[in-house]
Amino acid sequence: MFRRLQACVWLGLLLLFAGCANMTTTRSPEADLTKIKTIYVQKLQGEEANIDKLLVERLTAMGYQASSGLPEKPAQPTDATMTYVDNWMWDITMYMIRLTVNLRDGSSGAIIATTESYRPSLQRKSPEAMVEEVLNDLFGKTKPKP
């Protein structure tokens, strides 16, 4: 009897503290992501984890022309601008708990898509894996048109 009670308590604690990983993506109904070829990633002011560079590397690997920088507007016109927010948490080591990415129209600045990955401690992934996860969910199998 005591073992069953103990097992139930441990199971309850595990479920209570486990949390759930979550991935959400929202696109504007009129957004055609297949027309996007060039993307400017705006570096988050004061951010030291170089998420902008990870985003540029992954976008380039996906076939997009991508660049990043601190200015709000790129030096050359682009099809889209990408902004992001990375949230970090401490649990024995620092890890990224949430990555939110907004894709904006290059000319109007209007948000055309948003994606977010939330990963609590037990489901944590590396920043590289979270960047890959959000971009794959955002663009899917879409490749830029030649």
Side-chain angles (χ1 to χ4, degrees), residues 43-124:
K43 182 173 177 62
L44 186 63
Q45 186 75 31
E47 187 259 331
E48 298 175 2
N50 292 322
I51 301 301
D52 62 313
K53 300 219 183 309
L54 295 177
L55 288 164
V56 167
E57 287 173 12
R58 181 63 190 154
L59 287 165
T60 302
M62 293 172 76
Y64 297 93
Q65 293 178 342
S67 62
S68 69
L70 276 173
E72 188 173 325
K73 299 263 185 194
Q76 301 291 326
T78 58
D79 299 325
T81 300
M82 185 174 281
T83 58
Y84 64 93
V85 176
D86 56 326
N87 300 110
W88 294 76
M89 187 68 74
W90 171 260
D91 184 5
I92 301 176
T93 61
M94 288 297 288
Y95 70 98
M96 187 165 32
I97 190 169
R98 182 185 316 262
L99 177 61
T100 306
V101 172
N102 292 316
L103 188 66
R104 299 172 181 272
D105 181 76
S107 55
S108 71
I111 295 176
I112 56 176
T114 299
T115 185
E116 178 178 272
S117 176
Y118 173 78
R119 297 204 155 268
S121 182
L122 294 178
Q123 290 95 18
R124 72 175 78 178

Side-chain angles (χ1 to χ4, degrees), residues 13-44:
L13 287 173
L14 179 65
L15 291 174
L16 179 67
F17 292 111
C20 295
N22 190 20
M23 183 77 212
T24 58
T25 298
T26 307
R27 289 178 197 83
S28 171
E30 57 273 350
D32 183 4
L33 302 185
T34 62
K35 293 181 180 178
I36 296 173
K37 296 176 189 161
T38 58
I39 301 173
Y40 174 72
V41 179
Q42 183 185 351
K43 182 173 177 62
L44 186 63

